[in-house]
């Protein structure tokens, strides 16, 4: 598919009009993105998903049916529900990292269109396109950003001439800068477009800045910037296997390690073929992981695993935000980031330490929620009888899975079951609120009331999956304060017993006991490994990922939940350079 094939005669005429604005208009980018998506899909047959499988959230559309799950003997229930695509949209975090790396500045994250999400999955960007409303929101952000950064980029270009000499200089700069933005050399037609954009430059500040602004707008709104491809080429001697092209392999590794495009050393390694070696990929990954962007990338992944990358603190009811600072949401994110950084740099960089570590609990900024207080109208504040440990009890994570008001045991329980144990929780049936048991006796505690209402047969079997997990966390309010007593004035009952898919029984008297049990569970550690693999792929798993799943299972059984070991196992695996299996 080409761009021309998806354009009407009126649109083709529109594209042929004199001027350059057409190359970075929202309409053109939306059409071209669709064409690019179709072209990429044609180049790599989408046959890597399990037969009958349905596409993951945001993935290509197609007939859905029962997912044929490959048989894998792993420590956790592996779900093969994804669908491969050769097109990956840059996430907001990737856009910000990339734009800042290229210009030294970045737009506000909140100004960029939010990605579509589904359930407790990590963000999946493979096969995810910008829709019309998102394009409409993105264009003015890009235009304003180009205007803001153009003066500095003009200075960096070093072009200080006049007339044709200045236009030639800026055209040469545009060609060089485009190579970095597009993560490939511009084609001849693209180079001609950039030359046309700078045609009015004359050596004066106003005209030259406007020319640079036009180039920046065109580049940062180009589909080749907003998306990256994993098309690859057939491996010599193995026509059924496609491997990533050098620039695609460098981009996959770099965005996984640092949320941004490859730097010069990584590109050199890709172009000389050394990235085909797993040990060299690990070396490059370790190097990038130690950069500022690399540490942020690890933190973003951990937050995605725990469903907390999109802060919901500011959405809570005003009553719960009483007594906290205006910067409370940003402070909590920074505090959680700091804890993650410390754990992953420690001698125990494990899932267990992330879930049970106490390094953040005494941080001064946490006093807003941990100190004794009556600011919300009830007694709150941490107590020695119930420990606050690990990220699951950090306000950044708790608030991501609570309602705006009141306690949220069912939401928290479903999150724990799905995100940490990789066990699906079915959505409630239509009209579920009308199916609860009636005739509740007086004098029940909040937990007893919820247990009574959901004891009807239509509710109980499903609630048994997640309610015990959630009840252990019901003493936390929507922003993560510990509430001293049940709303009825009775003491909390946070105990429970639950079983996992492999038959392991977990009994606990407090949230800390529950978390410690989860932290040592091979199922939780394996589920984390699956989350890391899906994060590297930008999609759910397919049948072609079975070898990687097997390798990760071996890694988990050997090293437990060692986070760096899991990430390096993904990077070093031979399958990391694959783009899928071409159907014969």
């Amino acid at each position: 598919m080409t761009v021309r094939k998806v354009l009407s005669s009126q649109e083709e005429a529109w594209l042929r009009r004199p001027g350059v604005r057409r190359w970075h208009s929202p309409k053109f980018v939306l059409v071209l993105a669709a064409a690019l998506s179709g072209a990429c899909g044609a180049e790599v047959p989408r046959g890597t998903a399990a037969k009958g499988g349905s596409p993951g959230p945001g993935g290509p559309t197609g007939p859905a049916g029962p997912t044929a799950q490959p048989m894998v003997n792993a420590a956790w229930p592996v779900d093969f529900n994804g669908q491969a695509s050769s097109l990956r949209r840059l996430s907001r975090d990737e856009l910000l990292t990339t734009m800042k790396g290229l210009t030294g500045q970045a737009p506000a994250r909140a100004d960029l269109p939010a990605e579509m999400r589904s359930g407790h999955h990590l963000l999946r960007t493979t096969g995810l396109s910008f829709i019309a409303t998102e394009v409409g929101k993105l264009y003015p952000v890009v235009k304003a950003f180009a205007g803001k950064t153009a003066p500095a980029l003009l200075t960096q270009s070093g072009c200080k001439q006049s007339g044709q000499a200045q236009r030639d200089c800026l055209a040469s700069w545009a060609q060089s800068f485009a190579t970095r933005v597009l993560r490939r050399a511009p084609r001849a037609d693209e180079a001609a477009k950039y030359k046309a954009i700078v045609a009015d430059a004359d050596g004066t500040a106003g005209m030259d800045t406007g020319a640079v602004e036009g180039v920046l707008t065109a580049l940062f709104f180009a589909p080749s910037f907003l998306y990256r491809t994993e098309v690859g080429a057939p491996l010599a001697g193995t026509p059924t296997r496609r491997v990533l092209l050098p620039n695609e392999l460098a981009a996959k590794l770099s965005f996984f390690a640092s949320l941004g495009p490859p730097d010069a050393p990584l590109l050199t390694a890709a172009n000389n073929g050394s990235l085909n070696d797993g040990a060299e990929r690990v070396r490059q990954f370790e190097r990038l992981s130690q950069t500022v962007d690399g540490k942020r990338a690890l933190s973003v992944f951990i937050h995605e695993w725990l469903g907390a990358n999109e802060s919901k603190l500011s959405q809570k009811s005003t009553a719960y935000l009483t007594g906290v600072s205006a910067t409370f949401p940003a402070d909590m994110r920074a505090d959680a980031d700091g804890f993650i950084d410390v754990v992953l740099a420690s001698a125990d960089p494990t899932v267990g330490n992330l879930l049970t570590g106490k390094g953040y609990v005494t941080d001064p900024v946490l006093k807003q929620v941990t100190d004794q207080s009556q600011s919300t109208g009830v007694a709150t504040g941490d107590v020695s009888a119930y420990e606050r440990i690990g990220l699951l009890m950090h306000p950044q994570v708790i608030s991501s899975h609570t309602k705006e008001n009141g306690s949220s045991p069912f939401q928290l329980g479903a999150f724990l079951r799905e995100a940490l144990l990789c066990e699906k929780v079915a959505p409630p049936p239509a009209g579920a609120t009308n199916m609860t048991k009636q005739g509740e006796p007086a004098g029940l505690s909040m937990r007893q009331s919820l247990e009574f209402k959901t004891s009807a047969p239509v509710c109980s079997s499903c609630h048994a999956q997640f309610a015990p997990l959630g009840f252990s966390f019901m003493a936390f309010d929507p922003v993560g304060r510990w509430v001293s007593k049940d709303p009825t004035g009775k003491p909390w009952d946070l105990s429970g017993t639950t079983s996992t898919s492999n038959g392991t029984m977990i009994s606990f008297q407090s949230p800390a006991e529950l978390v410690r049990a989860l932290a040592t569970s091979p199922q939780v550690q394996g589920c984390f490994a699956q989350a890391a693999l899906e994060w590297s792929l930008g999609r759910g798993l397919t049948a072609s990922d079975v070898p990687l799943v097997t390798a990760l299972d071996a890694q988990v059984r050997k090293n437990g939940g060692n986070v760096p070991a899991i990430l390096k196992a993904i990077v070093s695996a031979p399958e990391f350079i694959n783009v899928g299996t071409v159907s014969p």
Side-chain angles (χ1 to χ4, degrees), residues 503-584:
T504 300
M505 297 298 297
I506 300 176
S507 296
F508 47 89
Q509 296 296 317
S510 68
E513 285 190 16
L514 169 61
V515 169
R516 287 195 172 97
L518 293 173
T520 59
S521 166
Q523 181 170 333
V524 172
Q525 296 163 0
C527 185
F528 173 85
Q530 175 173 316
L533 178 55
E534 291 183 344
W535 184 244
S536 75
L537 298 169
R539 57 168 172 79
L541 303 183
T542 71
S544 67
D545 300 315
V546 167
L548 261 172
V549 171
T550 302
L552 284 177
D553 181 59
Q555 181 61 242
V556 168
R557 294 178 190 274
K558 177 182 178 182
N559 293 319
N562 186 292
V563 175
I566 290 170
L567 299 179
K568 286 186 282 189
I570 293 171
V571 170
S572 64
E575 294 79 14
F576 188 83
I577 69 174
N578 288 357
V579 293
T581 302
V582 179
S583 301

Side-chain angles (χ1 to χ4, degrees), residues 324 328 366-371 381-382 388 395 479-482:
V324 301
F328 181 66
L366 263 291
K367 289 182 175 295
Q368 298 176 77
V369 295
T370 60
D371 278 356
D382 285 12
R388 183 187 293 266
V479 302
R481 294 186 187 90
W482 183 269

Side-chain angles (χ1 to χ4, degrees), residues 332-350:
M332 290 302 101
R333 176 57 187 256
D335 189 77
D337 285 342
F339 174 70
I340 292 169
D341 189 23
V342 169
V343 168
L344 296 184
S346 73
D348 184 23
T350 60

Side-chain angles (χ1 to χ4, degrees), residues 48-73:
T48 58
K51 291 183 178 181
S54 59
T61 56
T67 303
Q69 298 286 324
M71 298 300 294
V72 179
N73 183 23

Side-chain angles (χ1 to χ4, degrees), residues 164-481:
Q164 189 59 46
Q166 181 72 344
R167 290 188 283 276
D168 291 342
C169 182
L170 286 175
S172 177
W173 163 81
Q175 176 87 358
S176 175
F177 191 68
T179 300
R180 296 172 59 202
V181 174
L182 304 179
R183 301 176 291 279
R184 60 169 174 77
R187 299 186 301 269
D189 62 318
E190 292 171 326
K193 298 169 193 174
Y194 308 142
K195 186 175 182 179
I197 292 175
V198 302
D200 291 332
D202 58 6
T204 63
M207 297 302 290
D208 291 356
T209 301
V212 171
E213 179 182 339
V215 170
L216 294 176
T217 303
L219 287 173
F220 288 132
F221 209 60
S224 290
F225 170 69
L226 298 172
Y227 300 86
R228 58 187 178 94
T229 59
E230 293 182 355
V231 175
L235 183 65
T238 313
T240 59
R241 181 185 175 196
R242 296 180 74 92
V243 295
L244 296 169
L245 299 172
N247 66 311
E248 294 174 334
L249 178 55
K252 179 179 180 179
L253 179 58
S254 183
F255 278 98
F256 182 41
S258 67
L259 297 175
D263 59 10
L266 185 58
L267 285 172
T268 298
N271 290 327
N272 65 26
S274 60
L275 275 192
N276 292 328
D277 177 61
E280 175 62 15
R281 292 197 297 274
V282 168
R283 192 184 74 79
Q284 294 287 347
F285 179 83
E286 289 177 324
R287 177 180 66 82
L288 292 171
S289 296
Q290 295 306 308
T291 65
V292 172
D293 287 339
K295 292 177 180 179
R296 179 171 174 268
L298 284 172
S299 184
V300 167
F301 160 58
I302 298 300
H303 280 289
E304 283 284 344
W305 166 52
L306 296 176
N309 197 35
E310 307 297 332
S311 176
K312 295 185 173 72
L313 278 165
S314 61
Q315 302 173 15
K316 306 308 177 185
S317 170
T318 304
Y320 295 101
L321 296 176
T322 302
V324 301
S325 67
T327 60
F328 181 66
D331 292 341
M332 290 302 101
R333 176 57 187 256
D335 189 77
D337 285 342
F339 174 70
I340 292 169
D341 189 23
V342 169
V343 168
L344 296 184
S346 73
D348 184 23
T350 60
V351 172
N353 200 4
L354 288 170
L355 294 180
T356 63
K358 301 176 68 173
Y360 71 86
V361 175
T362 57
D363 291 349
V365 72
L366 263 291
K367 289 182 175 295
Q368 298 176 77
V369 295
T370 60
D371 278 356
Q372 303 299 310
S373 173
Q374 292 276 348
S375 63
T376 62
V378 298
T380 63
D382 285 12
V383 293
S384 58
Y386 293 99
E387 294 179 276
R388 183 187 293 266
I389 61 173
L391 283 171
L392 292 177
M393 299 188 203
H394 194 286
Q396 175 72 18
V397 176
I398 289 179
S399 64
S400 297
H401 305 285
T402 53
K403 300 177 294 186
E404 287 70 30
N405 289 285
S407 183
S408 306
F410 297 155
Q411 289 86 341
L412 283 161
F415 153 68
L416 293 170
R417 180 66 67 174
E418 291 197 339
L420 270 74
L421 292 166
C422 282
E423 297 179 17
K424 289 184 177 180
V425 174
T433 55
N434 298 320
M435 301 176 186
T436 57
K437 187 175 181 179
Q438 304 299 309
E440 176 183 334
L444 300 183
S445 68
M446 180 168 63
R447 173 173 179 166
Q448 291 169 334
S449 173
L450 291 172
E451 287 178 325
F452 179 87
K453 291 175 180 176
T454 57
S455 62
V458 71
C459 305
S460 59
S461 59
C462 185
H463 276 257
Q465 286 184 278
F466 56 83
L469 299 172
F471 284 142
S472 71
F473 277 76
M474 68 189 306
F476 291 104
D477 77 4
V479 302
R481 294 186 187 90

